Amino acid sequence: MKTLLIAEHDNKKLKSATYHSITAAKALSDDVDVLVIGFDCDAVVREAQKLPSVERVYVANAKDYEYQLAENSAEIISEMARHYHYIISSASTFGKNILPRVAALLDVAMIADVVKIISSDTFIRPIYAGNALATVQSLDTIKILTIRTTSFPMSASVENSNAVVEVIQKIIPNTLSKFVSQELTISARPELTNARIVISGGRGLKSAENFKLLEELADHLGAALGASRAAVDAGFAPNDYQVGQTGKVVAPDLYIAVGISGAIQHLAGMKDSKVIVAINNDPDAPIFQVADYGLVADLFTALPELKAELG
């Protein structure tokens, strides 16, 4: 059994999602290769060589691959796929963008958001916004999987790795799409999906200006900021703050939900957090059903008092 892991990176370093995905790759087989698609990405290749259990690192390094667009990236992966039993990546925007296209090119099923590996052909994935877990068996020769990174621990780098680097000479141009631009949110706070502490705000904050209350607390705790979909739709917070079924899935050590009622779509993105604290003035809010600690209080009174207690 051989596994090909598609590395997620920004041409400078591997994303943490890849370190979680390699844990799942090791559970599938002992023979793991990594594919790095990008441009001027030598630093990423060196980092990929240090991933545990990796035999080879394949590199597609060309200007055509700079932004890892699905149209030509999927072509490379599908050409390599015949040598592998599993093609996997993280269930992030990156993996969700590329692997469904790979599955279509190979005419096999796509198994998304795998949270547990039962056997070589049987996997568990959430359905109905995480309210139920489905056990899925695949009889395809090549299995295409995206891995929910919050369900697999992060692997550590291995300094003395013997992984061999092989360069893919073939360049597949992208004639179907082109990269136009991107707007990145630059913040000194931790990345939302990697943070140990996440503080999220909901519609109860009432305005974008009131989100500053969360910013002050987040900076004090070294936490990342999140938001419910209702808060994002109301313009209180940017889209990349959104936690939930249609946003980001997080599982920090501590999740503080402020002014969030706890709609099922939001719970799907944070209920795996190790400790959940909820602050809401409605004692019947659904968020209290999953919270480890709940405070029924006016958030505009509770947040300053909490900040004062923290010093």
Side-chain angles (χ1 to χ4, degrees):
M1 294 286 187
K2 296 186 66 176
T3 300
L4 180 64
L5 171 64
I6 314 303
E8 182 175 352
H9 62 91
D10 60 1
N11 289 316
K12 297 180 178 63
K13 62 182 296 185
L14 286 175
K15 297 290 183 70
S16 63
T18 303
Y19 286 91
H20 291 272
S21 298
I22 191 68
T23 304
K26 290 190 295 181
L28 288 168
S29 67
D30 294 326
D31 192 351
V32 180
D33 294 341
V34 175
L35 172 60
V36 176
I37 302 170
F39 177 60
D40 195 16
C41 54
D42 293 342
V44 176
V45 174
R46 289 192 294 271
E47 195 176 350
Q49 282 182 278
K50 297 179 181 179
L51 290 170
S53 302
V54 171
E55 299 288 331
R56 295 176 185 81
V57 178
Y58 290 96
V59 187
N61 188 352
K63 185 68 175 176
D64 293 79
Y65 306 137
E66 183 174 6
Y67 299 105
Q68 300 125 53
L69 298 179
E71 286 73 15
N72 55 347
S73 295
E75 292 279 354
I76 301 172
I77 298 167
S78 62
E79 286 188 7
M80 296 182 65
R82 65 180 181 275
H83 302 296
Y84 295 92
H85 299 89
Y86 305 99
I87 309 293
I88 75 169
S89 188
S90 60
S92 60
T93 304
F94 173 82
K96 292 175 180 177
N97 183 40
I98 294 177
L99 289 197
R101 193 178 188 93
V102 174
L105 289 170
L106 297 173
D107 194 24
V108 297
M110 166 77 201
I111 304 175
D113 267 327
V114 172
V115 297
K116 189 174 182 180
I117 297 167
I118 301 297
S119 67
S120 61
D121 63 358
T122 307
F123 315 94
I124 293 179
R125 63 177 301 269
I127 57 174
Y128 301 125
N131 284 286
L133 294 174
T135 300
V136 181
Q137 185 178 38
S138 172
L139 301 181
D140 290 323
T141 305
I142 303 171
K143 297 169 178 59
I144 311 292
L145 314 172
T146 58
I147 303 299
R148 179 167 287 194
T149 55
T150 55
S151 298
F152 294 87
M154 180 184 286
S155 291
S157 296
V158 178
E159 289 299 325
N160 299 319
S161 171
N162 295 317
V164 177
V165 175
E166 293 192 22
V167 177
I168 299 173
Q169 300 293 346
K170 184 176 182 180
I171 298 175
I172 301 175
N174 186 353
T175 59
L176 297 174
S177 68
K178 67 177 181 178
F179 177 85
V180 178
S181 66
Q182 64 182 357
E183 295 181 12
L184 301 176
T185 301
I186 300 174
S187 174
R189 299 188 187 95
E191 187 179 346
L192 183 57
T193 53
N194 300 329
R196 289 182 58 252
I197 303 173
V198 174
I199 302 174
S200 286
R203 191 159 37 195
L205 282 159
K206 298 182 179 179
S207 70
E209 290 73 22
N210 289 332
F211 245 81
K212 292 178 181 177
L213 293 171
L214 296 190
E215 292 176 1
E216 294 172 1
L217 189 58
D219 291 339
H220 191 83
L221 295 174
L225 273 179
S228 67
R229 178 169 181 169
V232 171
D233 287 348
F236 300 170
N239 287 332
D240 56 336
Y241 281 21
Q242 186 174 322
V243 174
Q245 184 183 9
T246 53
K248 295 176 180 175
V249 177
V250 299
D253 293 339
L254 174 62
Y255 187 88
I256 304 175
V258 181
I260 295 175
S261 62
I264 189 172
Q265 291 84 357
H266 185 76
L267 299 184
M270 47 65 73
K271 66 181 182 181
D272 290 331
S273 304
K274 293 178 178 61
V275 177
I276 299 172
V277 176
I279 302 174
N280 200 295
N281 61 3
D282 179 6
D284 297 321
I287 192 71
F288 289 123
Q289 296 176 16
V290 299
D292 297 287
Y293 301 94
L295 177 61
V296 179
D298 184 340
L299 67 89
F300 297 105
T301 302
L303 286 181
E305 290 178 351
L306 177 57
K307 187 172 181 293
E309 286 293 327
L310 292 170

mmCIF file of all heavy atoms in Angstrom, residues 202-245:
data_model
loop_
_atom_site.group_PDB
_atom_site.id
_atom_site.type_symbol
_atom_site.label_atom_id
_atom_site.label_comp_id
_atom_site.label_asym_id
_atom_site.label_seq_id
_atom_site.Cartn_x
_atom_site.Cartn_y
_atom_site.Cartn_z
ATOM 1 N N GLY A 202 -20.287 36.599 18.464
ATOM 2 C CA GLY A 202 -21.488 36.399 17.666
ATOM 3 C C GLY A 202 -22.299 37.664 17.511
ATOM 4 O O GLY A 202 -21.820 38.777 17.792
ATOM 5 N N ARG A 203 -23.535 37.481 17.090
ATOM 6 C CA ARG A 203 -24.422 38.621 16.841
ATOM 7 C C ARG A 203 -24.692 39.415 18.107
ATOM 8 O O ARG A 203 -25.033 40.592 18.067
ATOM 9 C CB ARG A 203 -25.731 38.121 16.235
ATOM 10 C CG ARG A 203 -26.630 39.202 15.700
ATOM 11 C CD ARG A 203 -27.624 38.676 14.701
ATOM 12 N NE ARG A 203 -28.119 37.351 15.049
ATOM 13 C CZ ARG A 203 -28.768 36.559 14.205
ATOM 14 N NH1 ARG A 203 -28.962 36.969 12.964
ATOM 15 N NH2 ARG A 203 -29.197 35.378 14.574
ATOM 16 N N GLY A 204 -24.486 38.768 19.275
ATOM 17 C CA GLY A 204 -24.715 39.453 20.541
ATOM 18 C C GLY A 204 -23.808 40.636 20.776
ATOM 19 O O GLY A 204 -24.092 41.486 21.641
ATOM 20 N N LEU A 205 -22.707 40.747 20.015
ATOM 21 C CA LEU A 205 -21.809 41.900 20.167
ATOM 22 C C LEU A 205 -22.392 43.175 19.565
ATOM 23 O O LEU A 205 -21.909 44.275 19.840
ATOM 24 C CB LEU A 205 -20.452 41.590 19.539
ATOM 25 C CG LEU A 205 -19.557 40.697 20.405
ATOM 26 C CD1 LEU A 205 -18.490 40.015 19.569
ATOM 27 C CD2 LEU A 205 -18.915 41.482 21.519
ATOM 28 N N LYS A 206 -23.367 43.018 18.678
ATOM 29 C CA LYS A 206 -24.199 44.125 18.159
ATOM 30 C C LYS A 206 -23.533 45.039 17.128
ATOM 31 O O LYS A 206 -24.228 45.706 16.371
ATOM 32 C CB LYS A 206 -24.745 44.977 19.309
ATOM 33 C CG LYS A 206 -25.654 44.206 20.259
ATOM 34 C CD LYS A 206 -26.203 45.096 21.349
ATOM 35 C CE LYS A 206 -27.125 44.302 22.278
ATOM 36 N NZ LYS A 206 -27.649 45.140 23.374
ATOM 37 N N SER A 207 -22.201 45.102 17.089
ATOM 38 C CA SER A 207 -21.555 45.971 16.096
ATOM 39 C C SER A 207 -20.097 45.569 15.920
ATOM 40 O O SER A 207 -19.508 44.892 16.773
ATOM 41 C CB SER A 207 -21.621 47.446 16.523
ATOM 42 O OG SER A 207 -20.768 47.682 17.634
ATOM 43 N N ALA A 208 -19.525 46.039 14.803
ATOM 44 C CA ALA A 208 -18.113 45.765 14.541
ATOM 45 C C ALA A 208 -17.225 46.465 15.565
ATOM 46 O O ALA A 208 -16.175 45.956 15.953
ATOM 47 C CB ALA A 208 -17.756 46.225 13.129
ATOM 48 N N GLU A 209 -17.655 47.654 16.019
ATOM 49 C CA GLU A 209 -16.876 48.392 17.019
ATOM 50 C C GLU A 209 -16.751 47.600 18.319
ATOM 51 O O GLU A 209 -15.706 47.616 18.976
ATOM 52 C CB GLU A 209 -17.523 49.753 17.303
ATOM 53 C CG GLU A 209 -17.427 50.763 16.164
ATOM 54 C CD GLU A 209 -18.338 50.436 14.994
ATOM 55 O OE1 GLU A 209 -19.334 49.701 15.199
ATOM 56 O OE2 GLU A 209 -18.023 50.881 13.865
ATOM 57 N N ASN A 210 -17.807 46.876 18.677
ATOM 58 C CA ASN A 210 -17.775 46.119 19.931
ATOM 59 C C ASN A 210 -16.859 44.897 19.857
ATOM 60 O O ASN A 210 -16.520 44.307 20.884
ATOM 61 C CB ASN A 210 -19.188 45.678 20.317
ATOM 62 C CG ASN A 210 -20.039 46.846 20.778
ATOM 63 O OD1 ASN A 210 -19.518 47.839 21.290
ATOM 64 N ND2 ASN A 210 -21.348 46.739 20.582
ATOM 65 N N PHE A 211 -16.452 44.521 18.621
ATOM 66 C CA PHE A 211 -15.505 43.411 18.486
ATOM 67 C C PHE A 211 -14.148 43.757 19.102
ATOM 68 O O PHE A 211 -13.335 42.867 19.387
ATOM 69 C CB PHE A 211 -15.328 43.025 17.011
ATOM 70 C CG PHE A 211 -15.824 41.636 16.704
ATOM 71 C CD1 PHE A 211 -17.179 41.416 16.496
ATOM 72 C CD2 PHE A 211 -14.977 40.556 16.655
ATOM 73 C CE1 PHE A 211 -17.658 40.140 16.227
ATOM 74 C CE2 PHE A 211 -15.441 39.276 16.390
ATOM 75 C CZ PHE A 211 -16.789 39.067 16.181
ATOM 76 N N LYS A 212 -13.922 45.066 19.323
ATOM 77 C CA LYS A 212 -12.669 45.478 19.959
ATOM 78 C C LYS A 212 -12.551 44.918 21.372
ATOM 79 O O LYS A 212 -11.444 44.723 21.880
ATOM 80 C CB LYS A 212 -12.577 47.007 19.978
ATOM 81 C CG LYS A 212 -12.413 47.629 18.602
ATOM 82 C CD LYS A 212 -12.374 49.138 18.655
ATOM 83 C CE LYS A 212 -12.236 49.732 17.254
ATOM 84 N NZ LYS A 212 -12.264 51.222 17.267
ATOM 85 N N LEU A 213 -13.700 44.676 22.014
ATOM 86 C CA LEU A 213 -13.675 44.053 23.340
ATOM 87 C C LEU A 213 -13.017 42.676 23.268
ATOM 88 O O LEU A 213 -12.258 42.284 24.162
ATOM 89 C CB LEU A 213 -15.102 43.925 23.886
ATOM 90 C CG LEU A 213 -15.842 45.220 24.220
ATOM 91 C CD1 LEU A 213 -17.307 44.927 24.536
ATOM 92 C CD2 LEU A 213 -15.175 45.916 25.409
ATOM 93 N N LEU A 214 -13.320 41.943 22.188
ATOM 94 C CA LEU A 214 -12.707 40.630 22.004
ATOM 95 C C LEU A 214 -11.235 40.751 21.626
ATOM 96 O O LEU A 214 -10.410 39.943 22.052
ATOM 97 C CB LEU A 214 -13.444 39.841 20.912
ATOM 98 C CG LEU A 214 -14.899 39.451 21.165
ATOM 99 C CD1 LEU A 214 -15.359 38.488 20.086
ATOM 100 C CD2 LEU A 214 -15.076 38.834 22.532
ATOM 101 N N GLU A 215 -10.912 41.766 20.827
ATOM 102 C CA GLU A 215 -9.523 41.950 20.405
ATOM 103 C C GLU A 215 -8.618 42.192 21.606
ATOM 104 O O GLU A 215 -7.512 41.647 21.691
ATOM 105 C CB GLU A 215 -9.432 43.124 19.427
ATOM 106 C CG GLU A 215 -10.098 42.851 18.082
ATOM 107 C CD GLU A 215 -10.085 44.066 17.176
ATOM 108 O OE1 GLU A 215 -9.532 45.118 17.608
ATOM 109 O OE2 GLU A 215 -10.616 43.983 16.062
ATOM 110 N N GLU A 216 -9.091 43.002 22.542
ATOM 111 C CA GLU A 216 -8.291 43.293 23.738
ATOM 112 C C GLU A 216 -8.055 42.026 24.554
ATOM 113 O O GLU A 216 -6.944 41.765 25.023
ATOM 114 C CB GLU A 216 -8.998 44.354 24.588
ATOM 115 C CG GLU A 216 -9.087 45.721 23.921
ATOM 116 C CD GLU A 216 -9.967 46.684 24.699
ATOM 117 O OE1 GLU A 216 -10.488 46.277 25.767
ATOM 118 O OE2 GLU A 216 -10.123 47.832 24.253
ATOM 119 N N LEU A 217 -9.108 41.229 24.702
ATOM 120 C CA LEU A 217 -8.983 39.990 25.464
ATOM 121 C C LEU A 217 -8.094 38.977 24.737
ATOM 122 O O LEU A 217 -7.275 38.292 25.350
ATOM 123 C CB LEU A 217 -10.379 39.397 25.712
ATOM 124 C CG LEU A 217 -10.471 38.201 26.673
ATOM 125 C CD1 LEU A 217 -9.917 38.573 28.037
ATOM 126 C CD2 LEU A 217 -11.911 37.722 26.785
ATOM 127 N N ALA A 218 -8.256 38.906 23.415
ATOM 128 C CA ALA A 218 -7.448 37.982 22.612
ATOM 129 C C ALA A 218 -5.967 38.340 22.702
ATOM 130 O O ALA A 218 -5.109 37.457 22.852
ATOM 131 C CB ALA A 218 -7.909 38.000 21.161
ATOM 132 N N ASP A 219 -5.647 39.620 22.618
ATOM 133 C CA ASP A 219 -4.255 40.049 22.714
ATOM 134 C C ASP A 219 -3.678 39.734 24.087
ATOM 135 O O ASP A 219 -2.500 39.376 24.221
ATOM 136 C CB ASP A 219 -4.145 41.548 22.424
ATOM 137 C CG ASP A 219 -4.436 41.877 20.964
ATOM 138 O OD1 ASP A 219 -4.334 40.961 20.121
ATOM 139 O OD2 ASP A 219 -4.776 43.033 20.667
ATOM 140 N N HIS A 220 -4.510 39.847 25.112
ATOM 141 C CA HIS A 220 -4.062 39.566 26.480
ATOM 142 C C HIS A 220 -3.748 38.077 26.658
ATOM 143 O O HIS A 220 -2.794 37.721 27.356
ATOM 144 C CB HIS A 220 -5.147 40.008 27.468
ATOM 145 C CG HIS A 220 -4.701 40.000 28.897
ATOM 146 N ND1 HIS A 220 -3.997 41.054 29.459
ATOM 147 C CD2 HIS A 220 -4.820 39.076 29.872
ATOM 148 C CE1 HIS A 220 -3.715 40.762 30.718
ATOM 149 N NE2 HIS A 220 -4.212 39.571 30.994
ATOM 150 N N LEU A 221 -4.530 37.225 26.003
ATOM 151 C CA LEU A 221 -4.376 35.776 26.164
ATOM 152 C C LEU A 221 -3.511 35.140 25.075
ATOM 153 O O LEU A 221 -3.221 33.949 25.133
ATOM 154 C CB LEU A 221 -5.748 35.097 26.162
ATOM 155 C CG LEU A 221 -6.688 35.429 27.324
ATOM 156 C CD1 LEU A 221 -8.059 34.800 27.098
ATOM 157 C CD2 LEU A 221 -6.094 34.946 28.645
ATOM 158 N N GLY A 222 -3.120 35.911 24.079
ATOM 159 C CA GLY A 222 -2.395 35.342 22.949
ATOM 160 C C GLY A 222 -3.280 34.432 22.121
ATOM 161 O O GLY A 222 -2.840 33.388 21.626
ATOM 162 N N ALA A 223 -4.542 34.826 21.979
ATOM 163 C CA ALA A 223 -5.545 33.990 21.311
ATOM 164 C C ALA A 223 -5.829 34.470 19.892
ATOM 165 O O ALA A 223 -5.531 35.610 19.524
ATOM 166 C CB ALA A 223 -6.841 33.997 22.118
ATOM 167 N N ALA A 224 -6.425 33.573 19.109
ATOM 168 C CA ALA A 224 -6.912 33.926 17.774
ATOM 169 C C ALA A 224 -8.358 34.385 17.889
ATOM 170 O O ALA A 224 -9.071 34.009 18.824
ATOM 171 C CB ALA A 224 -6.819 32.730 16.841
ATOM 172 N N LEU A 225 -8.777 35.193 16.932
ATOM 173 C CA LEU A 225 -10.156 35.686 16.914
ATOM 174 C C LEU A 225 -10.994 34.897 15.918
ATOM 175 O O LEU A 225 -10.548 34.606 14.807
ATOM 176 C CB LEU A 225 -10.192 37.165 16.535
ATOM 177 C CG LEU A 225 -10.025 38.193 17.652
ATOM 178 C CD1 LEU A 225 -10.054 39.596 17.073
ATOM 179 C CD2 LEU A 225 -11.095 38.034 18.716
ATOM 180 N N GLY A 226 -12.229 34.562 16.341
ATOM 181 C CA GLY A 226 -13.171 33.887 15.469
ATOM 182 C C GLY A 226 -14.509 34.599 15.509
ATOM 183 O O GLY A 226 -14.709 35.560 16.254
ATOM 184 N N ALA A 227 -15.440 34.115 14.713
ATOM 185 C CA ALA A 227 -16.773 34.723 14.666
ATOM 186 C C ALA A 227 -17.779 33.705 14.161
ATOM 187 O O ALA A 227 -17.421 32.755 13.462
ATOM 188 C CB ALA A 227 -16.775 35.954 13.757
ATOM 189 N N SER A 228 -19.014 33.914 14.536
ATOM 190 C CA SER A 228 -20.087 33.080 14.001
ATOM 191 C C SER A 228 -20.481 33.601 12.624
ATOM 192 O O SER A 228 -20.131 34.725 12.244
ATOM 193 C CB SER A 228 -21.302 33.119 14.934
ATOM 194 O OG SER A 228 -21.882 34.414 14.930
ATOM 195 N N ARG A 229 -21.221 32.793 11.886
ATOM 196 C CA ARG A 229 -21.647 33.242 10.559
ATOM 197 C C ARG A 229 -22.556 34.461 10.662
ATOM 198 O O ARG A 229 -22.479 35.371 9.842
ATOM 199 C CB ARG A 229 -22.378 32.113 9.827
ATOM 200 C CG ARG A 229 -22.885 32.543 8.463
ATOM 201 C CD ARG A 229 -23.377 31.407 7.623
ATOM 202 N NE ARG A 229 -23.824 31.904 6.327
ATOM 203 C CZ ARG A 229 -24.126 31.135 5.290
ATOM 204 N NH1 ARG A 229 -24.008 29.830 5.383
ATOM 205 N NH2 ARG A 229 -24.529 31.656 4.151
ATOM 206 N N ALA A 230 -23.390 34.495 11.694
ATOM 207 C CA ALA A 230 -24.290 35.633 11.871
ATOM 208 C C ALA A 230 -23.495 36.919 12.035
ATOM 209 O O ALA A 230 -23.861 37.973 11.482
ATOM 210 C CB ALA A 230 -25.186 35.400 13.085
ATOM 211 N N ALA A 231 -22.395 36.855 12.780
ATOM 212 C CA ALA A 231 -21.567 38.042 12.988
ATOM 213 C C ALA A 231 -20.875 38.462 11.689
ATOM 214 O O ALA A 231 -20.761 39.651 11.388
ATOM 215 C CB ALA A 231 -20.538 37.773 14.075
ATOM 216 N N VAL A 232 -20.418 37.470 10.921
ATOM 217 C CA VAL A 232 -19.760 37.765 9.645
ATOM 218 C C VAL A 232 -20.764 38.357 8.657
ATOM 219 O O VAL A 232 -20.491 39.356 7.988
ATOM 220 C CB VAL A 232 -19.105 36.495 9.067
ATOM 221 C CG1 VAL A 232 -18.609 36.740 7.639
ATOM 222 C CG2 VAL A 232 -17.947 36.052 9.952
ATOM 223 N N ASP A 233 -21.946 37.747 8.565
ATOM 224 C CA ASP A 233 -22.973 38.245 7.640
ATOM 225 C C ASP A 233 -23.425 39.654 8.005
ATOM 226 O O ASP A 233 -23.802 40.448 7.130
ATOM 227 C CB ASP A 233 -24.188 37.311 7.641
ATOM 228 C CG ASP A 233 -23.911 35.993 6.931
ATOM 229 O OD1 ASP A 233 -22.867 35.904 6.252
ATOM 230 O OD2 ASP A 233 -24.727 35.062 7.059
ATOM 231 N N ALA A 234 -23.378 39.983 9.294
ATOM 232 C CA ALA A 234 -23.775 41.322 9.746
ATOM 233 C C ALA A 234 -22.667 42.348 9.556
ATOM 234 O O ALA A 234 -22.869 43.534 9.794
ATOM 235 C CB ALA A 234 -24.183 41.268 11.219
ATOM 236 N N GLY A 235 -21.487 41.893 9.136
ATOM 237 C CA GLY A 235 -20.381 42.805 8.900
ATOM 238 C C GLY A 235 -19.562 43.127 10.125
ATOM 239 O O GLY A 235 -18.736 44.043 10.104
ATOM 240 N N PHE A 236 -19.770 42.357 11.209
ATOM 241 C CA PHE A 236 -19.008 42.618 12.433
ATOM 242 C C PHE A 236 -17.561 42.150 12.322
ATOM 243 O O PHE A 236 -16.686 42.656 13.007
ATOM 244 C CB PHE A 236 -19.642 41.916 13.642
ATOM 245 C CG PHE A 236 -21.056 42.329 13.956
ATOM 246 C CD1 PHE A 236 -21.803 41.624 14.887
ATOM 247 C CD2 PHE A 236 -21.647 43.422 13.337
ATOM 248 C CE1 PHE A 236 -23.107 41.996 15.188
ATOM 249 C CE2 PHE A 236 -22.955 43.802 13.625
ATOM 250 C CZ PHE A 236 -23.684 43.074 14.551
ATOM 251 N N ALA A 237 -17.324 41.142 11.503
ATOM 252 C CA ALA A 237 -15.997 40.535 11.393
ATOM 253 C C ALA A 237 -15.781 40.077 9.953
ATOM 254 O O ALA A 237 -16.740 39.798 9.231
ATOM 255 C CB ALA A 237 -15.884 39.349 12.357
ATOM 256 N N PRO A 238 -14.512 39.971 9.507
ATOM 257 C CA PRO A 238 -14.228 39.509 8.130
ATOM 258 C C PRO A 238 -14.521 38.029 7.950
ATOM 259 O O PRO A 238 -14.598 37.267 8.918
ATOM 260 C CB PRO A 238 -12.729 39.812 7.962
ATOM 261 C CG PRO A 238 -12.188 39.862 9.346
ATOM 262 C CD PRO A 238 -13.284 40.372 10.223
ATOM 263 N N ASN A 239 -14.624 37.607 6.705
ATOM 264 C CA ASN A 239 -14.969 36.212 6.380
ATOM 265 C C ASN A 239 -13.982 35.200 6.937
ATOM 266 O O ASN A 239 -14.364 34.086 7.312
ATOM 267 C CB ASN A 239 -15.061 36.033 4.856
ATOM 268 C CG ASN A 239 -16.308 36.669 4.272
ATOM 269 O OD1 ASN A 239 -17.317 36.780 4.952
ATOM 270 N ND2 ASN A 239 -16.231 37.105 3.034
ATOM 271 N N ASP A 240 -12.688 35.571 6.968
ATOM 272 C CA ASP A 240 -11.701 34.588 7.402
ATOM 273 C C ASP A 240 -11.732 34.344 8.909
ATOM 274 O O ASP A 240 -11.004 33.501 9.412
ATOM 275 C CB ASP A 240 -10.295 34.982 6.952
ATOM 276 C CG ASP A 240 -9.877 36.356 7.421
ATOM 277 O OD1 ASP A 240 -10.764 37.177 7.691
ATOM 278 O OD2 ASP A 240 -8.662 36.606 7.516
ATOM 279 N N TYR A 241 -12.601 35.045 9.644
ATOM 280 C CA TYR A 241 -12.801 34.784 11.068
ATOM 281 C C TYR A 241 -13.856 33.708 11.296
ATOM 282 O O TYR A 241 -13.982 33.185 12.404
ATOM 283 C CB TYR A 241 -13.276 36.050 11.793
ATOM 284 C CG TYR A 241 -12.202 37.064 12.128
ATOM 285 C CD1 TYR A 241 -10.981 37.085 11.458
ATOM 286 C CD2 TYR A 241 -12.414 38.026 13.105
ATOM 287 C CE1 TYR A 241 -10.013 38.022 11.757
ATOM 288 C CE2 TYR A 241 -11.450 38.968 13.421
ATOM 289 C CZ TYR A 241 -10.254 38.969 12.740
ATOM 290 O OH TYR A 241 -9.296 39.894 13.054
ATOM 291 N N GLN A 242 -14.610 33.365 10.261
ATOM 292 C CA GLN A 242 -15.795 32.530 10.461
ATOM 293 C C GLN A 242 -15.463 31.104 10.861
ATOM 294 O O GLN A 242 -14.672 30.418 10.218
ATOM 295 C CB GLN A 242 -16.637 32.508 9.186
ATOM 296 C CG GLN A 242 -17.971 31.774 9.353
ATOM 297 C CD GLN A 242 -18.845 31.900 8.134
ATOM 298 O OE1 GLN A 242 -18.878 32.953 7.501
ATOM 299 N NE2 GLN A 242 -19.554 30.849 7.778
ATOM 300 N N VAL A 243 -16.086 30.672 11.953
ATOM 301 C CA VAL A 243 -15.950 29.309 12.458
ATOM 302 C C VAL A 243 -17.286 28.602 12.259
ATOM 303 O O VAL A 243 -18.340 29.139 12.609
ATOM 304 C CB VAL A 243 -15.584 29.303 13.960
ATOM 305 C CG1 VAL A 243 -15.600 27.884 14.517
ATOM 306 C CG2 VAL A 243 -14.218 29.934 14.169
ATOM 307 N N GLY A 244 -17.248 27.400 11.700
ATOM 308 C CA GLY A 244 -18.497 26.666 11.528
ATOM 309 C C GLY A 244 -18.503 25.796 10.294
ATOM 310 O O GLY A 244 -17.477 25.619 9.627
ATOM 311 N N GLN A 245 -19.663 25.294 9.984
ATOM 312 C CA GLN A 245 -19.814 24.365 8.859
ATOM 313 C C GLN A 245 -19.362 24.991 7.545
ATOM 314 O O GLN A 245 -18.745 24.328 6.718
ATOM 315 C CB GLN A 245 -21.281 23.925 8.751
ATOM 316 C CG GLN A 245 -21.533 22.892 7.669
ATOM 317 C CD GLN A 245 -23.004 22.544 7.542
ATOM 318 O OE1 GLN A 245 -23.852 23.201 8.150
ATOM 319 N NE2 GLN A 245 -23.317 21.524 6.795
#
